[in-house]
Amino acid sequence: MKVASGPGFALCSLLLLPLLQVPDSLSLAPEPRGHLCRTRPTDLVFVVDSSRSVRPVEFEKVKVFLSQVIESLDVGPNATRVGLVNYASTVKPEFPLRAHGSKASLLQAVRRIQPLSTGTMTGLALQFAITKALSDAEGGRTRSPDISKVVIVVTDGRPQDSVRDVSARARASGIELFAIGVGRVDKATLRQIASEPQDEHVDYVESYNVIEKLAKKFQEAFCVVSDLCATGDHDCEQVCVSSPGSYTCACHEGFTLNSDGKTCNVCRGGGSGSATDLVFLIDGSKSVRPENFELVKKFINQIVDTLDVSDRLAQVGLVQYSSSVRQEFPLGRFHTKKDIKAAVRNMSYMEKGTMTGAALKYLIDNSFTVSSGARPGAQKVGIVFTDGRSQDYINDAARKAKDLGFKMFAVGVGNAVEDELREIASEPVADHYFYTADFKTINQIGKKLQKKICVEEDPCACESILGFEAKVEGLLQALTRKLEAVSKRLAVLENRID
C-alpha cells in the first residue's frame, strides 16, 4: 500500500486535522428529533392514473399519498412549485405549477380531484406533462442547476400507448422521472419510464392500501443536505449532531438526554450490566428476494455489534421462517460476536411463504426455553423482521409472548402490515415497532434498535458508546464536505495555473 506524501498531502492534513479530533466530552446517544428538511427549488409535476381499474376508495389513498409528499416540501414561488396531471383515456390538467403559492391551497386542490374512470393513456399523459405542464406558460422556470425538474408517475395498469420514446426524451432534457406501480401494473413500463439508477426511481406496492408508505421515501428524496447545527436551526441544550437535512441532540459527559430529546440531566446510576437473551425471528419468504436478504443479514449484524456478548451478559439466537420455521442457531451456541456474525452471514435463504404466527409460537415453545440455551432470570428480547402480511393467525402467539414478559420488537419493510407489527410489539407500541418502505434504509432502524435493546443498568454507560458513534458519524459527514470543498479549491487553482 502506498502512503501519500508531499506538500499537497501536508496541506490537506492541516485542513482535516481539526475534524478528526473527536471531543471526549460527548458520551450520550442522541435522541432523534423531528425531521427538519429544506427542499431545493423544484418544479414538480404529479402524473396520476385514475383509469377505471382504480376504484374511488383507492383513488382517495393516492390523494393521501400526494398530500403527505406535499407536506414535506417548501412550497412557494421561489421554492417548490407543484402541478398535477390526472389521466385515463384523456388527460386532465388539475392545476398548473403557477396556480398555488402555498402548501395549504395545494392540499385543498388535491382533495378536490376526482377520478376519470376510463382507459390508461400513460404515454399521452407523460407527453402533456413534459411539453405543457413544465412549460413557461404553466409556471415552469428556466432550467438551471439550481432548479430541479421532476415528474412522479403513479399507475396501476398496462398503458394503451407507448411510454418509451417520450420518457427517453424527458430524461435526455434533464427531467428526473419517478415511476410508482400498484397491483397488476406492467413492471416493464415502470422501467421504461424511470430515470437511472432505477432502484431509486422505480417503486412497486401490492395495493393502494400501502401506497402511503412510500411518502417517506419521497420526503427524503427531495430533502437537501443541510447542516442545521452549523446554521443554528436547532434547539439542543448542549450538543447538536448534524445529519442530512436533520439533526439529533446529545449531552456532555456526566449528563443524560431527557425524553424531550433536547435537554440534559445529570447522569446517575449503577454500574453492572444485566443478562439478556436476544432472539431474531427473520422472514425468509420469497417476497424478500435474495439481494434484500443480504441487507437483512447486515441489519442483524449491525445489532450484534452493539451487544456485550458473553455467558454472563448477552446471548443471541436466530430463527428464520417462511412456510415453515427453521432454527439457524440457539441461544448460547456462540460466545463471541465474531462467531455470531459469521453464522448470520452463512445463513441460507428459505424463499417460500410467510407464517409469522408459527414463528412466534416457535419462539415461545422453543427459543426461550432452558433446553435451547435460555437462562432463568435473563431478560428475553425478540426482534421480529417481516416484509409482508402473515399467512397465518398471529394474535394469540403475539399476546402470549408479551404476557410471558418477553420484550418484543417488530420491524416491517415494504408491504409489511402495520396492524400486525403493532400487534407483535410490546408496550409502549410506538417504541417497539418500526417501519420503512425500502430495504436500503433498514440500517436506520438498526441504529434506533441499538439504543432500545441496550440493557446496561447505568444508562450513561450504555449510551456513551452510541453517543460517541453518532458524534463520529457527524464528524465524518463534515469531513466529507470539507474534502469536497478542498477538491473544488484545488481544481480552481489548477485551472488558474494552466
Side-chain angles (χ1 to χ4, degrees):
M1 181 177 70
K2 294 182 179 179
V3 180
S5 61
F9 179 73
L11 173 62
C12 288
S13 298
L14 289 172
L15 288 167
L16 302 180
L17 183 60
L19 288 170
L20 294 172
Q21 295 173 336
V22 181
D24 59 9
S25 61
L26 184 69
S27 64
L28 298 185
E31 186 75 18
R33 300 285 298 130
H35 191 70
L36 299 179
C37 182
R38 293 171 177 172
T39 55
R40 66 178 296 176
T42 301
D43 288 345
L44 169 63
V45 174
F46 291 101
V47 177
V48 181
D49 177 356
S50 67
S51 57
R52 65 176 64 92
S53 60
V54 184
R55 294 176 298 175
V57 67
E58 293 173 332
F59 195 69
E60 291 303 309
K61 298 282 187 183
V62 177
K63 287 159 64 173
V64 171
F65 162 73
L66 299 175
S67 297
Q68 288 175 339
V69 175
I70 291 169
E71 283 279 11
S72 70
L73 302 175
D74 293 326
V75 175
N78 298 318
T80 295
R81 303 179 184 181
V82 180
L84 195 144
V85 174
N86 187 4
Y87 79 95
S89 295
T90 58
V91 175
K92 181 184 178 184
E94 294 289 350
F95 50 83
L97 291 168
R98 57 179 160 75
H100 300 286
S102 73
K103 195 178 297 184
S105 62
L106 260 177
L107 295 173
Q108 289 175 1
V110 169
R111 285 194 289 270
R112 290 193 293 267
I113 300 168
Q114 297 298 317
L116 301 175
S117 301
T118 50
T120 312
M121 299 294 284
T122 309
L124 182 66
L126 276 168
Q127 180 68 26
F128 182 91
I130 293 157
T131 60
K132 299 289 186 183
L134 286 168
S135 68
D136 295 347
E138 297 295 286
R141 287 165 285 189
T142 303
R143 187 171 292 107
S144 75
D146 297 325
I147 298 175
S148 301
K149 302 282 186 177
V150 178
V151 172
I152 300 177
V153 181
V154 182
T155 182
D156 81 331
R158 183 184 296 274
Q160 296 168 318
D161 56 356
S162 174
V163 302
R164 185 189 299 273
D165 292 343
V166 65
S167 300
R169 288 196 299 273
R171 295 191 300 267
S173 69
I175 298 171
E176 186 174 13
L177 298 178
F178 291 88
I180 299 174
V182 183
R184 296 184 178 181
V185 68
D186 177 42
K187 293 181 182 178
T189 297
L190 302 180
R191 291 190 291 272
Q192 289 174 13
I193 293 171
S195 297
E196 295 287 347
Q198 293 210 333
D199 61 351
E200 295 179 8
H201 291 82
V202 175
D203 286 284
Y204 170 78
V205 290
E206 290 181 347
S207 74
Y208 282 103
N209 289 329
V210 292
I211 192 171
E212 295 171 35
K213 295 177 179 179
L214 292 176
K216 187 175 189 304
K217 170 191 170 171
F218 286 95
Q219 289 165 355
E220 292 173 350
F222 290 116
C223 180
V224 173
V225 176
S226 176
D227 189 344
L228 299 177
C229 294
T231 59
D233 294 328
H234 66 85
D235 52 4
C236 299
E237 181 182 45
Q238 292 189 359
V239 180
C240 178
V241 181
S242 186
S243 60
S246 187
Y247 69 93
T248 50
C249 298
C251 301
H252 296 301
E253 184 177 1
F255 294 82
T256 184
L257 196 66
N258 292 326
S259 59
D260 62 8
K262 57 185 179 182
T263 60
C264 300
N265 226 340
V266 175
C267 188
R268 306 182 188 277
S272 60
S274 59
T276 298
D277 290 338
L278 169 63
V279 175
F280 291 93
L281 281 186
I282 301 301
D283 180 352
S285 59
K286 60 186 175 185
S287 59
V288 173
R289 298 187 301 187
E291 64 272 22
N292 290 332
F293 194 69
E294 292 304 309
L295 294 177
V296 175
K297 291 196 279 188
K298 290 181 180 179
F299 164 81
I300 297 170
N301 282 341
Q302 179 185 0
I303 302 299
V304 171
D305 269 331
T306 68
L307 301 175
D308 192 351
V309 175
S310 71
D311 293 337
R312 188 177 64 85
L313 296 174
Q315 292 189 153
V316 178
L318 177 61
V319 174
Q320 184 183 174
Y321 71 93
S322 58
S323 297
S324 58
V325 181
R326 183 175 79 198
Q327 179 174 259
E328 300 293 344
F329 55 84
L331 290 164
R333 173 170 293 179
F334 301 112
H335 305 287
T336 67
K337 294 181 189 180
K338 180 179 178 182
D339 290 342
I340 293 171
K341 291 168 68 177
V344 171
R345 286 192 295 269
N346 291 332
M347 175 173 55
S348 60
Y349 176 34
M350 292 177 74
E351 209 171 350
K352 290 186 180 178
T354 310
M355 304 293 281
T356 309
L360 287 166
K361 190 173 186 304
Y362 185 92
L363 180 80
I364 295 164
D365 296 342
N366 297 278
S367 298
F368 284 141
T369 61
V370 174
S371 60
S372 291
R375 295 162 297 177
Q379 179 180 220
K380 305 296 188 289
V381 178
I383 299 178
V384 182
F385 186 99
T386 182
D387 86 323
R389 182 183 295 276
S390 178
Q391 295 171 326
D392 61 353
Y393 187 68
I394 70 163
N395 291 30
D396 289 345
R399 189 180 306 111
K400 185 175 181 181
K402 291 179 284 189
D403 288 345
L404 288 169
F406 302 163
K407 189 174 184 179
M408 300 298 296
F409 292 93
V411 180
V413 181
N415 293 319
V417 179
E418 293 195 58
D419 285 346
E420 291 185 354
L421 299 178
R422 284 189 283 266
E423 186 67 32
I424 294 168
S426 292
E427 294 289 346
V429 172
D431 291 341
H432 291 84
Y433 101 96
F434 306 88
Y435 173 81
T436 180
D438 192 345
F439 275 91
K440 293 184 180 65
T441 59
I442 59 175
N443 65 313
Q444 298 302 317
I445 291 177
K447 291 178 181 178
K448 296 176 184 177
L449 271 172
Q450 285 171 349
K451 181 177 178 183
K452 291 188 179 295
I453 64 173
C454 187
V455 294
E456 292 283 346
E457 290 176 1
D458 180 357
C460 300
C462 171
E463 295 176 351
S464 62
I465 296 173
L466 298 176
F468 178 78
E469 288 176 350
K471 182 63 177 176
V472 170
E473 184 177 343
L475 289 168
L476 287 174
Q477 290 169 359
L479 173 60
T480 301
R481 292 193 292 271
K482 177 70 76 174
L483 281 170
E484 290 173 350
V486 170
S487 178
K488 289 177 181 177
R489 290 172 190 165
L490 289 174
V492 170
L493 287 172
E494 288 174 0
N495 290 334
R496 289 176 179 173
I497 291 169
D498 292 342

